[in-house]
Amino acid sequence: MARNTLSTTAATFTATAALLLTACGGGSGDSSQDDINGTETGAARPSASESPSPSTRPGIDRPVIKLPSSFQLTFEDWKSSDAKQQAVLDDAREELRAGYAAITADDPDSESVAFYDTGSGRSQSKKWIKSYTDKSVTVVGKLPVFDPKVSLLDDGSTASLGYCTDESEAYTKHRETGETEGNPEYMDPHVYYQVTLRKSSQGVWQNDTVRSERGGCAK
């Protein structure tokens, strides 16, 4: 399920195969949580059925993103007492929700994803989404997203976000046969992500690059 992985020999970010189709995005990256020097966020964890509400910052007409009940994408401790960090968290959350909504809707050209991505980020996201849609699979089950750490850079228009996911109860489902597949037993279900975001002229924090490291965090 890992979105993008950076192998130890790769020079650029690459989109991985879809969850559980051959390799499950388990490339090793050169990133670590120590690279994220922001303040750790913290709040009460939502229930599995709770849906995050979209950002309500004024003046921005945001897309409405809906996920099917068959795939529960939950964001745990996704809060910060710092308003600027919270704005980054809000938009990063909606970008991830938009990506999985595009997979479940079989829509690699999703306008909602494009809204939350820069040009280069959009290219990465489309490759990731097509790694599912080209193979006629979707995602089902549960995917917790947790332990976010945000750092705002000095220019005020660039941010770094690290977070973890737990794929233990996430699966792919073949659209034609209905067959579901889970991670191999030997594969670590925890994946660490490092995202670079850039603030658009509209004030939207957009994903610019994403890389991941399987086994880079634990829950």
Side-chain angles (χ1 to χ4, degrees):
M1 168 163 286
R3 286 187 58 168
N4 299 284
T5 60
L6 186 67
S7 70
T8 54
T9 57
T12 59
F13 293 118
T14 58
T16 67
L19 165 67
L20 314 174
L21 303 179
T22 64
C24 185
S28 60
D30 60 1
S31 63
S32 69
Q33 289 187 338
D34 292 338
D35 294 331
I36 305 296
N37 297 317
T39 304
E40 183 173 359
T41 60
R45 294 184 177 182
S47 66
S49 60
E50 182 179 347
S51 297
S53 58
S55 172
T56 56
R57 297 199 302 281
I60 302 174
D61 185 15
R62 295 174 180 277
V64 176
I65 300 165
K66 295 183 180 180
L67 285 163
S69 59
S70 57
F71 183 66
Q72 297 179 25
L73 182 66
T74 57
F75 293 80
E76 303 177 0
D77 301 333
W78 210 256
K79 295 288 184 183
S80 174
S81 59
D82 183 285
K84 292 181 179 179
Q85 289 188 4
Q86 187 61 52
V88 175
L89 289 171
D90 288 345
D91 288 343
R93 175 196 62 206
E94 293 304 293
E95 195 276 346
L96 192 56
R97 293 182 69 244
Y100 282 110
I103 290 170
T104 59
D106 197 16
D107 181 17
D109 296 312
S110 167
E111 293 183 3
S112 295
V113 176
F115 182 88
Y116 286 107
D117 282 347
T118 65
S120 60
R122 176 67 185 120
S123 177
Q124 285 189 3
S125 292
K126 188 169 184 177
K127 288 178 181 178
W128 168 59
I129 295 165
K130 282 176 67 64
S131 72
Y132 291 79
T133 60
D134 285 355
K135 296 176 177 65
S136 193
V137 297
T138 186
V139 289
V140 295
K142 300 177 182 180
L143 183 68
V145 186
F146 59 97
D147 198 21
K149 294 179 176 65
V150 182
S151 178
L152 291 167
L153 303 188
D154 293 338
D155 63 2
S157 62
T158 306
S160 182
L161 169 64
Y163 63 85
C164 293
T165 63
D166 181 355
E167 299 177 355
S168 299
E169 297 183 72
Y171 309 91
T172 50
K173 181 178 180 179
H174 293 262
R175 295 181 187 275
E176 295 177 2
T177 66
E179 180 183 1
T180 60
E181 297 179 59
N183 277 335
E185 291 184 2
Y186 62 83
M187 186 171 286
D188 193 321
H190 299 101
V191 183
Y192 171 73
Y193 290 88
Q194 183 172 322
V195 186
T196 300
L197 303 98
R198 304 194 187 280
K199 196 172 185 179
S200 74
S201 58
Q202 283 185 289
V204 177
W205 284 99
Q206 297 178 315
N207 276 23
D208 188 54
T209 59
V210 181
R211 59 180 171 180
S212 64
E213 179 185 358
R214 184 167 296 280
C217 52
K219 188 167 188 248

